Each structure stands twice: as structure tokens, then as C-alpha cells.
């Protein structure tokens, strides 16, 4: 079946008891066991529940994985993946990862004896040089948040596999509709489902998609032991959102391209970073491994004061932390999403004070551009 058919039907069979076309929300913590050793497949909602099982089947299918596990947030999902490591293990990460990943690795996981290096993963030679005898994992975000650096996934996967490393990819910015890292050779995919997968900005969620039964067993062990599995209502919301992923992403794609082209020639904009523009350093790689360029755009307005003025004047676009919703969201990474990264490192990795991140929504394109236009005129 095609992607949209799978998104609508896999894991979403009509309810066996009533015929309800939408799965009921199993809002219960516990399941009655018929007799010792005989249950209907569920016992306690931390361990599993029907709404989680349904969503996990859909997500595994869309990413082409062996299995998927869904968590209370993207960070909970990412944390579960790092729990595959042991004290003394070393991981290479893309240098401009989402601020929360920088925070959990530099401030929390290091306390448990894990080691991390932050490398420009778009440069294969730098990744090769960063591999040490204790390296176990390469963790790639592509495109990176918010610097939009694209990593050649097939090349990194080949390098990693030659050294027996687990290659993990954060596919949040593109969703499985636009990029399928497992098909390109990655071992594990993670998502903040809070973003495009759900798409409606009404709950947080995360996913880990694995490619082998051994990884599945380990991630499921973390999920049921640590208890950060996604709750029934939130699974229901993401399952609802995922059904329209393909049509939303098509619209995000066309709106994203139109906004990037508009900003690229605007005199007040110093620089636009969008993999869909021919000027982007990894445009050709993005074209090769992505089905579209998505809706995440970063652009530089120079001094902090200019960026603040612009952000204070948008009306349709919402000044907000998140991304991937149907509504256009706009933020200032240096002071918002990436504030946990020290200013000197922000500068090194290209998060300048005037860098604005835009998550282009699926509103009418004329309205989005008109709003950006009037706000840019205020600078
Ligand atoms: C690329 C990326 N990965 C992971 C996360 C973390 O997801 P969550 O906020 O759902 O914990 C985010 C959040 O913005 C993100 O942008």
C-alpha cells in the first residue's frame, strides 16, 4: 500500500467490539485478568495499552522499521536510546543538535559516565577523525535545528557500520513522508512527535523506531521499566494527526519553498538557510535523500534588536518555542529553544543573535507572506 493508505489504516482497524471506525480511548490504568495466566494481552497501562500499540504499529510502518515505541516526549524517546549505552561509551553527535539534546548529554548523561563529542556530521572526514576506541554510537540530526545543516545519511551509515557503531537519526524536521533514514542505512530513528507527526500542536510525544528485534527488546524494556510510555489520550491525538501527514507535508513543502524564495531576495534579510535553495551548501545531498525540503527555515536579521523588532510585530505567525504544527510558528533560537547552549558555543555553530527560525504552517501562503512582509517593514 502507499504511504497515505498506511498512515490512515495500519494500526487503525475498526474496533472489534463496536465497529467504531476510530479506536476508542482506553482511559484506564489497569486491565482485569480473566484467570491466572490468562489475559486479553494487557495488564497495566505503563507496560502497554491498545492506543499505544495502535500508534506504534502505524509509526513503525511509516518509517519502515521492525518496531516503534512511543514516549511522553521527544526527549523521553531520545533518553531511551542513550540508555542502550554503558558507562565509558562514547557518542558522536551532530554539532548543532536541538538544545534539549545538548542539555541532556552535557548536563545529565555525562553524570552516568557517558562521553559525547559534537562534530559537524556533514563533513565525513570530521566524523571519521572523531571515532575513538570506545565510540559506540553516531547521533545525527538532519537537517539540524536551527542551522539546517544536512548530513549525508547513507555515507555516515556506511562509515558507522564499518566500525560496528549504532547510527541514530533524529527525523523530526522532515517526518517519514520526506525522509526515511532506515532505508538509507541508519539503525534507529527518533522523533519528536510533538511536531510534524502529530501536527496539531495539542500534545507532546516522542518515538523510537528500531530495525532489529534485539533493539526492540531493549527499548521496550526501557519503556516499561522507566514508565515514560505515551498515555492513551495522547496516543489517540497523534494517531488522529498522523492520518493527514502526507497532505500536510505536501502543503508544508510548497509553503516552505515559497517563503524561502521570498526571504532570499528581501533586502532586510542577510542570509537564508533552507536546504531547498540552490545556495544551501548541502542542497544536492538534500535533493538526493529527501523527498521534499520541508517547512523549517532559518534566516539572519543581523543585530538582536532587529530580530526582536521583527518578532514583536508578527501577527499571524505565532512567537512560540515549538514547530511542525499547522500554524506558522516563529522563534529566536539563541534566546529560546537553544538558550541552554552557552553563547560562545552558539556563535561557533552558527546560532547568531539575529537568527530567526520559522516553521511554516499550512495557512494560505499569501497571508503568511503578507504577515512577514509587514513585520520586516518595521525593522
Ligand atoms: C529536532 C528535535 N528533536 C527533539 C526535540 C525534543 O522533542 P520534545 O520537545 O517533544 O521533547 C525537539 C524539540 O523541539 C526537536 O526540535
Amino acid at each position: 500500500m502507499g504511504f497515505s493508505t498506511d498512515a490512515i489504516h495500519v494500526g487503525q482497524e475498526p474496533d472489534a467490539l463496536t465497529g467504531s471506525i476510530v479506536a476508542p480511548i482506553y482511559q484506564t490504568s489497569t486491565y482485569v485478568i480473566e484467570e491466572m495466566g490468562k489475559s486479553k494481552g494487557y495488564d497495566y497501562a505503563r507496560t502497554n495499552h491498545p492506543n499505544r500499540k495502535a500508534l506504534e504499529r502505524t509509526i513503525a510502518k511509516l518509517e519502515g522499521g521492525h518496531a516503534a515505541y512511543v514516549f511522553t516526549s521527544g526527549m523521553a524517546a531520545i533518553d531511551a536510546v542513550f540508555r542502550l549505552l554503558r558507562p565509558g561509551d562514547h557518542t558522536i553527535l551532530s554539532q548543532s543538535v536541538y538544545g534539549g539534546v545538548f542539555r541532556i548529554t552535557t548536563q545529565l548523561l555525562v553524570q552516568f559516565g557517558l562521553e559525547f563529542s559534537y562534530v559537524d556530521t556533514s563533513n565525513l572526514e570530521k566524523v571519521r577523525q572523531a571515532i575513538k576506541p570506545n565510540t559506540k554510537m553516531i547521533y545525527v540530526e538532519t537537517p539540524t535545528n536551527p542551522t539546517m545543516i544536512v548530513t549525508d545519511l547513507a555515507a555516515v551509515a556506511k562509515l558507522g557500520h564499518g566500525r560496528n557503531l549504532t547510527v541514530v537519526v533524529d527525523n523530526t524536521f522532515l517526518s517519514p513522508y520526506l525522509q526515511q533514514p532506515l532505508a538509507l542505512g541508519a539503525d534507529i530513528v527518533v522523533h519528536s512527535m510533538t511536531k510534524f507527526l502529530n501536527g496539531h500542536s495539542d500534545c507532546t510525544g516522542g518515538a523510537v523506531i528500531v530495525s532489529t528485534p534485539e533493539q526492540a527488546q531493549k527499548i521496550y524494556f526501557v519503556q516499561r521499566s522507566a514508565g515514560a510510555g505515551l498515555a492513551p489520550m495522547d496516543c489517540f491525538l497523534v494517531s488522529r494527526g498522523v492520518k493527514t501527514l502526507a497532505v500536510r507535508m505536501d502543503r508544508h513543502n510548497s509553503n516552505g519553498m515559497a517563503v524561502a524564495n521570498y526571504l532570499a531576495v528581501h533586502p532586510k534579510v542577510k542570509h537564508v538557510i533552507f536546504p531547498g535553495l540552490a545556495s544551501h551548501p548541502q542542497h544536492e545531498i538534500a535533493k538526493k535523500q529527501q523527498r521534499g525540503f520541508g517547512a523549517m527555515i532559518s534566516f539572519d536579521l543581523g543585530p538582536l534588536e532587529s530580530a526582536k523588532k521583527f518578532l514583536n510585530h508578527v501577527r499571524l505567525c505565532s512567537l512560540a518555542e515549538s514547530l511542525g504544527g499547522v500554524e506558522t510558528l516563529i522563534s529566536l533560537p539563541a534566546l529560546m529553544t537553544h538558550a541552554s547552549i552557552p553563547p560562545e558555543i552558539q556563535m561557533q555553530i552558527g546560532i547568531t543573535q539575529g537568527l530567526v527560525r520559522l516553521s511554516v504552517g499550512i495557512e494560505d501562503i499569501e497571508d503568511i507572506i503578507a504577515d512577514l512582509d509587514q513585520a520586516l517593514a518595521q525593522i
Side-chain angles (χ1 to χ4, degrees), residues 1-269:
M1 298 283 179
F3 188 93
S4 292
T5 310
D6 285 342
I8 293 166
H9 293 286
V10 173
Q12 298 295 317
E13 296 79 12
D15 177 44
L17 197 62
T18 62
S20 164
I21 195 143
V22 176
I25 303 166
Y26 289 85
Q27 194 62 48
T28 180
S29 60
T30 192
Y31 292 81
V32 177
I33 295 168
E34 284 169 53
E35 57 184 69
M36 288 309 296
K38 193 173 168 204
S39 75
K40 291 192 164 80
Y42 299 98
D43 49 26
Y44 188 54
R46 166 160 47 75
T47 314
N48 215 340
H49 57 76
N51 296 105
R52 193 188 295 161
K53 195 103 217 125
L55 176 60
E56 289 179 345
R57 281 181 57 208
T58 319
I59 300 292
K61 180 73 183 171
L62 298 184
E63 282 287 3
H66 168 74
Y69 297 92
V70 298
F71 293 84
T72 51
S73 69
M75 288 314 303
I78 291 162
D79 178 58
V81 170
F82 285 130
R83 288 179 197 224
L84 298 175
L85 299 167
R86 294 285 164 271
D89 287 351
H90 171 246
T91 298
I92 297 167
L93 293 99
S94 299
Q95 70 176 3
S96 112
V97 275
Y98 165 61
V101 176
F102 187 79
R103 181 173 50 216
I104 199 174
T105 51
T106 55
Q107 294 181 41
L108 186 67
L109 296 174
V110 286
Q111 295 176 33
F112 299 92
L114 300 184
E115 260 183 59
F116 302 96
S117 302
Y118 308 87
V119 170
D120 176 4
T121 50
S122 73
N123 184 328
L124 204 60
E125 205 34 54
K126 288 198 174 155
V127 180
R128 200 192 312 276
Q129 284 166 11
I131 298 175
K132 305 199 286 188
N134 60 337
T135 306
K136 291 284 161 30
M137 189 178 274
I138 304 179
Y139 179 100
V140 175
E141 206 176 279
T142 180
T144 50
N145 180 0
T147 46
M148 304 304 294
I149 295 166
V150 174
T151 291
D152 186 335
L153 288 179
V156 166
K158 194 165 165 225
L159 173 67
H161 292 160
R163 312 287 178 105
N164 219 8
L165 311 180
T166 303
V167 177
V168 181
V169 178
D170 184 332
N171 202 24
T172 300
F173 268 28
L174 293 172
S175 90
Y177 183 64
L178 298 182
Q179 178 170 267
Q180 295 188 312
L182 299 181
L184 294 164
D187 302 293
I188 295 179
V189 171
V190 292
H191 272 281
S192 168
M193 300 195 299
T194 315
K195 321 298 186 201
F196 293 98
L197 278 172
N198 179 37
H200 291 71
S201 308
D202 49 14
C203 75
T204 64
V208 179
I209 303 96
V210 296
S211 52
T212 68
E214 196 200 354
Q215 292 159 355
Q217 189 217 332
K218 288 181 177 164
I219 296 292
Y220 180 51
F221 184 77
V222 175
Q223 190 196 47
R224 70 189 164 91
S225 306
L230 195 59
M233 178 69 187
D234 294 341
C235 288
F236 169 86
L237 287 170
V238 180
S239 287
R240 183 278 325 263
V242 161
K243 289 178 187 167
T244 57
L245 181 66
V247 286
R248 283 188 286 107
M249 292 316 291
D250 281 338
R251 177 69 167 248
H252 278 299
N253 262 336
S254 59
N255 279 3
M257 199 69 228
V259 169
N261 283 330
Y262 160 79
L263 293 171
V265 293
H266 197 288
K268 303 259 174 78
V269 176

Side-chain angles (χ1 to χ4, degrees), residues 208-371:
V208 179
I209 303 96
V210 296
S211 52
T212 68
E214 196 200 354
Q215 292 159 355
Q217 189 217 332
K218 288 181 177 164
I219 296 292
Y220 180 51
F221 184 77
V222 175
Q223 190 196 47
R224 70 189 164 91
S225 306
L230 195 59
M233 178 69 187
D234 294 341
C235 288
F236 169 86
L237 287 170
V238 180
S239 287
R240 183 278 325 263
V242 161
K243 289 178 187 167
T244 57
L245 181 66
V247 286
R248 283 188 286 107
M249 292 316 291
D250 281 338
R251 177 69 167 248
H252 278 299
N253 262 336
S254 59
N255 279 3
M257 199 69 228
V259 169
N261 283 330
Y262 160 79
L263 293 171
V265 293
H266 197 288
K268 303 259 174 78
V269 176
K270 303 222 166 324
H271 183 46
V272 181
I273 323 173
F274 182 62
L277 294 175
S279 59
H280 188 280
Q282 294 97 32
H283 175 63
E284 290 306 320
I285 295 166
K287 245 175 36 187
K288 185 182 73 174
Q289 71 187 14
Q290 302 174 196
R291 187 172 164 182
F293 300 110
M296 298 304 301
I297 303 172
S298 291
F299 57 101
D300 204 329
L301 290 178
L304 179 62
E305 282 320 305
S306 301
K308 277 189 177 166
K309 205 164 200 177
F310 167 74
L311 291 169
N312 288 338
H313 281 89
V314 287
R315 294 193 195 111
L316 175 69
C317 306
S318 303
L319 180 57
E321 283 269 341
S322 198
L323 60 103
V326 291
E327 55 289 284
T328 298
L329 301 173
I330 198 158
S331 67
L332 192 69
L335 300 188
M336 294 169 71
T337 49
H338 291 66
S340 60
I341 301 180
E344 62 281 7
I345 300 182
Q346 284 188 358
M347 286 311 282
Q348 268 170 31
I349 61 179
I351 304 178
T352 50
Q353 296 268 294
L355 192 75
V356 173
R357 189 190 74 185
L358 190 57
S359 169
V360 182
I362 62 171
E363 301 98 335
D364 292 291
I365 187 62
E366 300 77 16
D367 295 332
I368 299 171
I369 290 182
D371 189 37

